Amino acid sequence: MGSRWDIRNEGGAALIIALGVMSIMIIIGITVTALALNSNRTVAHDIRLTEAQNVAEAGVDDAIAVTLSNYNDLYPGGSYPSANHQGDGEPFFEQPQRLDDAQGNEVGTYQVWTKEDPDRPGNVLITSIGTMDGTNLQTSTVRVSVKYTAKVFDYALFVGDPEQTYDNPSGFSGDCVPELNAKAEGGNVDITGNVHVNGCIQINTSGGGMGHGGRGGGMHHNQGTVSFLSRDGYTDTVTYTDTYSGDTPDGNQPTQGDEIAFPTVDFDSFDNVVNVDISSNSVPSGVGWSRHGNNLSISAEDFQTNYGSYDAVSIRGVSNAELEIEITGSGSSNNPWVITPSILLPGRNSGSESTIKELELTGPGLSYQPTNGIAIVSAEGEVEVGHGVVVGAPGAGALIYVTGQQQESEFEVEEGAEIYGSVIVSSNEVELEGSGGRGCGHHNNQDKQVSISYDPAFLDSMPYGWWSGGDLTAVKENFERG
């Protein structure tokens, strides 16, 4: 009897244990199922939230596209809805806009509002709410601060206005006008950022020309390099509309693209401007000016002493003489003298001949750091950035805009010059000469380099309303998800 009871007791214990294990397994199964269902719901929610964000971003892009096509109608004179507007601003579309997929099925809808960005004056704050319809309604809000600006300002170097009629001047080396001519004979030309030429690109990196037994019997140049580089995190391009010839550059390769139009400049829109009027035989008032015939010069130190309290200096010729203006470095390469006002060359009066033939910045010892982001705006004449001159700085880019509004305007950068910002030139020829030719070997390799690096800081510093027209672009400066 005793052994039978032992067997029964052991069997009962095993049954209890089995039931316990089964209960635990059921509880675990229920828990795992609940977690899986909750996870699926979370994943589904996240997917729909992401989709709603995508719809909202599509609303931002739609508003930008409509604005670029109708800017003057939507915002005449650049007047945006007030930054003090209640809520997110004025409705951009009259009703919610439907977003369809490639098969024509509705994905969701978006509503868009705009006003001037209270944190970034001159920008438009776009608020877009994307909605995913269905049984599980999901919305997402996206806010983007957008600066609408001339498309040419988005380039490190931009050459040639398609609205201009160019003559091939006497002595011009190329058959195509306008032309970007990059020479790197024994030196380097480096451009970082987008490049576009409404015309032709010519590249020369040969090392010959002045070797022993050649013309002049001078020093022999080593072969140089021309490099078109992309900024970190960007895919920058090099485009032209006519032809590309010469040597193969390093980095980005030139490809054909479409024409892009220039804006025009209202030289009377600048504030806090001092006018420097130059007659046929006198020097301007102020310290440091000297004159030899039609050539006038002033040191960077004296220029800053005379005009440093102004935002801009407007240099105008009041005679028909072809004047040449030179601002010379008054420091050293390691301790340059800094000038800060914008230089405006508004050009000749109607019916007169050229008055400003050339503006030359001569270094070393000259650093140009304009307070409002604009370094030079010229309507006529040649602009030359000489050896050892620095324009702008990393994080403080400047704009050089040679508009050609009064006549064709050439532009030249000599070896050892550095430019941070953007160079836009309406010109029959732009010459970048990283050749080290002056003195033939008396400069080191760094001196033989021409460097232009796109830095858009000037966009936030420019005065309001000084340009109009041309092709527009939209620069997204801030992005927030609500």
Side-chain angles (χ1 to χ4, degrees), residues 364-381:
L366 195 161
S367 178
Y368 196 174
Q369 307 298 324
T371 54
N372 65 7
I374 299 178
I376 300 169
V377 183
S378 172
E380 68 173 354

Side-chain angles (χ1 to χ4, degrees), residues 31 234 315 322 438:
T31 301
Y234 290 82
I315 303 177
E322 293 188 337
R438 301 190 331 178

Side-chain angles (χ1 to χ4, degrees), residues 304-460:
Q304 186 68 14
T305 298
N306 291 333
Y307 313 119
S309 62
Y310 296 92
D311 292 336
V313 180
S314 179
I315 303 177
R316 305 178 300 182
V318 295
S319 70
N320 291 346
E322 293 188 337
L323 303 172
E324 297 183 11
I325 312 297
E326 182 182 24
I327 303 173
T328 61
S330 53
S332 65
S333 298
N334 296 326
N335 187 27
W337 195 270
V338 177
I339 61 175
T340 59
S342 301
I343 299 175
L344 310 179
L345 303 174
R348 60 191 177 210
N349 296 324
S350 177
S352 69
E353 297 298 324
S354 171
T355 55
I356 305 298
K357 180 181 179 181
E358 181 178 328
L359 170 67
E360 181 177 358
L361 306 180
T362 302
L366 195 161
S367 178
Y368 196 174
Q369 307 298 324
T371 54
N372 65 7
I374 299 178
I376 300 169
V377 183
S378 172
E380 68 173 354
E382 179 179 352
V383 173
E384 182 175 319
V385 180
H387 168 73
V389 175
V390 178
V391 180
L399 172 67
I400 297 176
Y401 186 16
V402 185
T403 72
Q405 287 178 213
Q406 296 293 339
Q407 72 171 39
E408 295 168 3
S409 302
E410 296 185 11
F411 182 74
E412 181 175 346
V413 180
E414 292 185 345
E415 71 274 5
E418 295 181 84
I419 300 174
Y420 300 91
S422 187
V423 177
I424 296 98
V425 185
S426 169
S427 176
N428 54 358
E429 181 180 26
V430 171
E431 186 169 302
L432 309 179
E433 188 172 0
S435 299
R438 301 190 331 178
C440 215
H442 293 288
H443 303 302
N444 59 33
N445 289 336
Q446 185 176 1
D447 289 336
K448 298 176 183 179
Q449 178 167 322
V450 169
S451 177
I452 301 176
S453 300
Y454 182 72
D455 186 317
F458 66 91
L459 291 174
D460 293 325

Side-chain angles (χ1 to χ4, degrees), residues 198-377:
N198 283 318
C200 303
I201 296 177
Q202 168 73 31
I203 296 176
N204 186 358
T205 61
S206 65
M210 294 295 289
H212 295 293
R215 290 182 301 167
M219 298 291 291
H220 184 83
H221 294 306
N222 294 321
Q223 185 161 344
T225 61
V226 172
S227 301
F228 296 117
L229 308 173
S230 289
R231 295 162 287 165
D232 291 342
Y234 290 82
T235 303
D236 292 317
T237 61
V238 180
T239 52
Y240 58 90
T241 61
D242 200 332
T243 63
Y244 152 60
S245 59
D247 300 321
T248 301
D250 291 346
N252 301 326
Q253 299 302 303
T255 59
Q256 281 196 308
D258 297 328
E259 288 185 343
I260 302 173
F262 272 38
T264 58
V265 173
D266 180 3
F267 285 88
D268 294 327
S269 66
F270 290 83
D271 296 323
N272 191 25
V273 179
V274 57
N275 293 321
V276 177
D277 295 326
I278 304 174
S279 65
S280 58
N281 55 14
S282 65
V283 296
S285 60
V287 299
W289 281 100
S290 64
R291 179 167 186 160
H292 300 282
N294 289 332
N295 301 324
L296 293 95
S297 66
I298 186 172
S299 71
E301 180 178 2
D302 289 334
F303 186 89
Q304 186 68 14
T305 298
N306 291 333
Y307 313 119
S309 62
Y310 296 92
D311 292 336
V313 180
S314 179
I315 303 177
R316 305 178 300 182
V318 295
S319 70
N320 291 346
E322 293 188 337
L323 303 172
E324 297 183 11
I325 312 297
E326 182 182 24
I327 303 173
T328 61
S330 53
S332 65
S333 298
N334 296 326
N335 187 27
W337 195 270
V338 177
I339 61 175
T340 59
S342 301
I343 299 175
L344 310 179
L345 303 174
R348 60 191 177 210
N349 296 324
S350 177
S352 69
E353 297 298 324
S354 171
T355 55
I356 305 298
K357 180 181 179 181
E358 181 178 328
L359 170 67
E360 181 177 358
L361 306 180
T362 302
L366 195 161
S367 178
Y368 196 174
Q369 307 298 324
T371 54
N372 65 7
I374 299 178
I376 300 169
V377 183

Side-chain angles (χ1 to χ4, degrees), residues 168 172-179 200 242:
N168 198 330
F172 179 63
S173 60
D175 296 325
C176 177
V177 179
E179 180 181 82
C200 303
D242 200 332

